[in-house]
PDB file of all heavy atoms in Angstrom:
ATOM      1  N   VAL G 193      24.905  -4.546 -20.565  1.00 94.00           N
ATOM      2  CA  VAL G 193      25.647  -3.283 -20.613  1.00 94.00           C
ATOM      3  C   VAL G 193      26.918  -3.520 -21.405  1.00 94.00           C
ATOM      4  O   VAL G 193      27.708  -4.408 -21.078  1.00 94.00           O
ATOM      5  CB  VAL G 193      25.987  -2.775 -19.198  1.00 94.00           C
ATOM      6  CG1 VAL G 193      26.776  -1.469 -19.269  1.00 94.00           C
ATOM      7  CG2 VAL G 193      24.703  -2.571 -18.383  1.00 94.00           C
ATOM      8  N   VAL G 194      27.100  -2.755 -22.455  1.00 91.00           N
ATOM      9  CA  VAL G 194      28.230  -2.935 -23.371  1.00 91.00           C
ATOM     10  C   VAL G 194      29.136  -1.710 -23.318  1.00 91.00           C
ATOM     11  O   VAL G 194      28.658  -0.567 -23.371  1.00 91.00           O
ATOM     12  CB  VAL G 194      27.736  -3.150 -24.821  1.00 91.00           C
ATOM     13  CG1 VAL G 194      28.905  -3.386 -25.759  1.00 91.00           C
ATOM     14  CG2 VAL G 194      26.763  -4.324 -24.869  1.00 91.00           C
ATOM     15  N   GLY G 195      30.462  -1.920 -23.203  1.00 84.00           N
ATOM     16  CA  GLY G 195      31.415  -0.826 -23.186  1.00 84.00           C
ATOM     17  C   GLY G 195      31.597  -0.240 -24.570  1.00 84.00           C
ATOM     18  O   GLY G 195      31.124  -0.785 -25.578  1.00 84.00           O
ATOM     19  N   GLN G 196      32.291   0.879 -24.629  1.00 68.00           N
ATOM     20  CA  GLN G 196      32.463   1.579 -25.904  1.00 68.00           C
ATOM     21  C   GLN G 196      33.089   0.700 -26.967  1.00 68.00           C
ATOM     22  O   GLN G 196      32.717   0.753 -28.125  1.00 68.00           O
ATOM     23  CB  GLN G 196      33.324   2.825 -25.686  1.00 68.00           C
ATOM     24  CG  GLN G 196      32.562   3.988 -25.090  1.00 68.00           C
ATOM     25  CD  GLN G 196      33.422   5.236 -25.025  1.00 68.00           C
ATOM     26  OE1 GLN G 196      34.600   5.189 -24.678  1.00 68.00           O
ATOM     27  NE2 GLN G 196      32.839   6.364 -25.362  1.00 68.00           N
ATOM     28  N   ALA G 197      34.048  -0.134 -26.565  1.00 58.00           N
ATOM     29  CA  ALA G 197      34.735  -0.964 -27.551  1.00 58.00           C
ATOM     30  C   ALA G 197      34.023  -2.283 -27.790  1.00 58.00           C
ATOM     31  O   ALA G 197      34.432  -3.081 -28.614  1.00 58.00           O
ATOM     32  CB  ALA G 197      36.178  -1.228 -27.098  1.00 58.00           C
ATOM     33  N   GLY G 198      32.940  -2.526 -27.059  1.00 48.00           N
ATOM     34  CA  GLY G 198      32.231  -3.790 -27.197  1.00 48.00           C
ATOM     35  C   GLY G 198      31.414  -3.836 -28.465  1.00 48.00           C
ATOM     36  O   GLY G 198      30.988  -2.814 -28.992  1.00 48.00           O
ATOM     37  N   ASN G 199      31.206  -5.003 -28.963  1.00 46.00           N
ATOM     38  CA  ASN G 199      30.368  -5.186 -30.138  1.00 46.00           C
ATOM     39  C   ASN G 199      29.005  -5.691 -29.699  1.00 46.00           C
ATOM     40  O   ASN G 199      28.878  -6.777 -29.159  1.00 46.00           O
ATOM     41  CB  ASN G 199      31.009  -6.200 -31.099  1.00 46.00           C
ATOM     42  CG  ASN G 199      32.310  -5.684 -31.663  1.00 46.00           C
ATOM     43  OD1 ASN G 199      32.397  -4.509 -32.018  1.00 46.00           O
ATOM     44  ND2 ASN G 199      33.319  -6.535 -31.718  1.00 46.00           N
ATOM     45  N   SER G 200      28.000  -4.884 -29.970  1.00 42.00           N
ATOM     46  CA  SER G 200      26.653  -5.245 -29.525  1.00 42.00           C
ATOM     47  C   SER G 200      25.964  -6.116 -30.554  1.00 42.00           C
ATOM     48  O   SER G 200      25.924  -5.809 -31.732  1.00 42.00           O
ATOM     49  CB  SER G 200      25.812  -3.971 -29.311  1.00 42.00           C
ATOM     50  OG  SER G 200      24.486  -4.288 -29.030  1.00 42.00           O
ATOM     51  N   SER G 201      25.454  -7.241 -30.104  1.00 38.00           N
ATOM     52  CA  SER G 201      24.636  -8.070 -30.962  1.00 38.00           C
ATOM     53  C   SER G 201      23.187  -7.658 -30.803  1.00 38.00           C
ATOM     54  O   SER G 201      22.884  -6.809 -29.967  1.00 38.00           O
ATOM     55  CB  SER G 201      24.818  -9.542 -30.579  1.00 38.00           C
ATOM     56  OG  SER G 201      24.456  -9.738 -29.236  1.00 38.00           O
ATOM     57  N   PRO G 202      22.255  -8.215 -31.576  1.00 36.00           N
ATOM     58  CA  PRO G 202      20.857  -7.818 -31.419  1.00 36.00           C
ATOM     59  C   PRO G 202      20.400  -7.930 -29.968  1.00 36.00           C
ATOM     60  O   PRO G 202      20.825  -8.799 -29.212  1.00 36.00           O
ATOM     61  CB  PRO G 202      20.102  -8.832 -32.315  1.00 36.00           C
ATOM     62  CG  PRO G 202      21.117  -9.205 -33.341  1.00 36.00           C
ATOM     63  CD  PRO G 202      22.431  -9.208 -32.621  1.00 36.00           C
TER      64      PRO G 202
END
Side-chain angles (χ1 to χ4, degrees):
V193 179
V194 182
Q196 281 186 318
N199 295 318
S200 173
S201 59

